[in-house]
Amino acid sequence: MTDRPTVAFAKFALPKKGSVLVLAAEGGGLGEQARACDPDGVLSRAFEVAGFSGKLAKSVEVLAPAGTGFDRLSAIGVGKAGAIEEGGWLKIGGAAMAAAKSATDIAVIADLGGSEPSAEDVANLALGMMLRAYSFDKYKTTSRENGNGEEKSADKAKITIQCADPSAAKKAFARAEAVAGGVLLARDLVNEPANVLGPVEFAAKAKELEKLGAKVEILTEKEMKKLGMGALLGVAQGSVRPPRLAVIEWSGGKAKEKPVAFVGKGVVFDTGGISIKPAGGMEDMKGDMGGAAAVVGVMHALAARKAKVNAVGLIGLVENMPDGNAQRPGDIVTSMSGQTIEVINTDAEGRLVLADLLWYCNDRFAPQFMVNLATLTGAIMVALGHHHAGLFSNDDTLAERLTAAGLSTDEKLWRMPLGTEYDKLIDSKNADMKNSAGRMAGSITAAQFLKRFVKETAWAHLDVAGTAMGSPHTEINRSWGSGFGVRLLDRLVADHYEK
Ligand code: BES
Ligand code: MN
Ligand code: ZN
């Protein structure tokens, strides 16, 4: 686990050292508490010189202002006071953390002079800081550069946020911190190289959720064989590292209530198998477990904040390797459902893993809904780039709720079609279906394949190939592995499934 800053809340008091960050509203200048940090008015003067007007997430800094013990004093723009949304506070937090640079002592003066940020706002600001502070630099033993041309982040910083009601902010932050823990855990898992994080090691990470009160069961190859998971096992058979299936249960709801279910593709490395991928960029396939990472992340968040819901998370952990024992194009495997699959392309492995996971999840838990996350197709990036994940669903209510949760967390989804015309494309001449139907509508035919394993249960498939990794940097993410999906699903649960 990478280091994380600590966050505390306190009443207003003039800080004595470190990086001090004050908020500035557009057109409103500095509040009273902020002005106290700027006795000589140098920061106010810097506004003009730097052309700073308080626009959201812009900042301006002065070094060691006279008459204070600070190293730096920065103003962070919040935009128009009174019109700041939840996502705005995350961005303000992100910009604040960036302005604090590598300081180990950071004080944020959350005063706007007039329209005070609520406890929720302050908690979101703190969450934004935690998410921005993350940097995967555990393997950098010599350089202070994080590889983005930026200094190694202040991930061990002590952050104190001064605000009007510190105890209310602290309470609100307890929840935000649970979510931050989930997002950062997911990022860590995605960033970790596959030599370190194989199926067994990943399963051990999932097992650690027991510390938060979740129940975690790890199924071995033998158990999966017994269950008849021929599709998942076919993918795993080319690797010397055995597969695992982790079942994570969080029971925070009523005893009889059906769980909500999250299912994740956990291909710890995807070489393509015998249908091997080209070498260029193949290293990115260490992130082909981004769906599973998000599932572990959201289960972490739910357990850590003791969500009043029953939830299960299932992740299928395999490595897709070419080998003397690997499956071949043309092989026919029998899935747990009994349906047979002709493996046209061993690189279309994610759907094979998910087929058995979805079936098993439905069979064992009869959940209220299933949402699966998977870095499933390159085609979804051709369609949507890095700014939306693809959403496929057999249920309009679930699809609408997911879309709304996506908008409020800025983890956006775009709904794509399903239909019998597309379903036909995966019929096989030798088996019940084939795992690849060629280039046309590649993301949709992959979704149609999954749909054959969900029966009548409300289900959504999120194709996160373009968003779980390698997406453009944002105010709250500078990491290759983004943790996409954790905040989204946490929000879905909070808004609709907690009582
Ligand atoms: N893991 C890949 C999809 C992927 C590609 C994710 C790039 C992230 C970045 C998946 O297993 C895959 O190889 N899909 C194939 C399917 C094809 C063989 C039908 C693809 O998208 O090319
Ligand atoms: Mn593949
Ligand atoms: Zn894959």
Side-chain angles (χ1 to χ4, degrees), residues 117-354:
S118 68
E120 280 305 313
D121 296 340
V122 174
N124 277 317
L125 182 152
L127 175 57
M129 291 185 82
M130 296 218 38
L131 296 181
R132 176 63 177 256
Y134 175 89
S135 160
F136 184 70
D137 44 25
K138 65 190 264 204
Y139 296 108
K140 290 200 163 271
T141 65
T142 55
S143 163
R144 290 212 42 90
E145 288 262 321
N146 69 2
N148 301 326
E150 295 168 356
E151 229 175 304
K152 259 182 95 163
S153 73
D155 45 14
K156 281 188 199 128
K158 268 180 58 203
I159 301 170
T160 306
I161 303 187
Q162 298 186 7
C163 56
D165 190 347
S167 67
K170 189 173 172 207
K171 220 172 136 205
F173 181 64
R175 182 196 171 92
E177 195 173 26
V179 176
V183 175
L184 301 185
L185 172 58
R187 286 184 189 170
D188 267 348
L189 291 168
V190 173
N191 287 326
E192 199 65 61
N195 61 327
V196 176
L197 196 75
V200 170
E201 294 79 11
F202 196 133
K205 290 280 181 193
K207 190 82 180 164
E208 286 179 18
L209 294 186
E210 286 190 337
K211 286 186 211 147
L212 299 173
K215 197 177 127 200
V216 183
E217 196 183 331
I218 310 293
L219 275 61
T220 62
E221 195 172 6
K222 206 169 135 199
E223 291 160 306
M224 288 186 263
K225 252 187 204 136
K226 217 163 147 194
L227 287 164
M229 296 188 169
L232 184 153
L233 291 168
V235 178
Q237 78 189 30
S239 172
V240 295
R241 300 194 284 182
R244 290 289 184 267
L245 193 168
V247 181
I248 307 158
E249 290 177 75
W250 168 250
S251 306
K254 298 204 184 76
K256 288 255 162 61
E257 198 171 81
K258 286 179 172 181
V260 301
F262 303 114
V263 176
K265 168 179 173 182
V267 177
V268 298
F269 196 81
D270 180 13
T271 63
I274 295 300
S275 314
I276 198 162
K277 288 180 180 296
M282 204 206 274
E283 67 277 12
D284 283 355
M285 286 300 111
K286 72 171 184 176
D288 208 19
M289 27 53 72
V295 169
V296 172
V298 73
M299 294 306 292
H300 172 104
L302 296 176
R305 68 176 181 78
K306 305 212 180 317
K308 290 187 173 53
V309 68
N310 295 332
V312 297
L314 282 81
I315 55 176
L317 302 164
V318 302
E319 181 173 46
N320 189 21
M321 294 290 264
D323 177 80
N325 193 45
Q327 70 178 346
R328 294 148 289 257
D331 283 6
I332 295 175
V333 295
T334 303
S335 66
M336 185 184 171
S337 73
Q339 300 175 95
T340 57
I341 304 159
E342 183 177 19
V343 179
I344 299 294
N345 188 322
T346 64
D347 197 12
E349 84 296 342
R351 65 199 75 182
L352 297 171
V353 173
L354 288 169

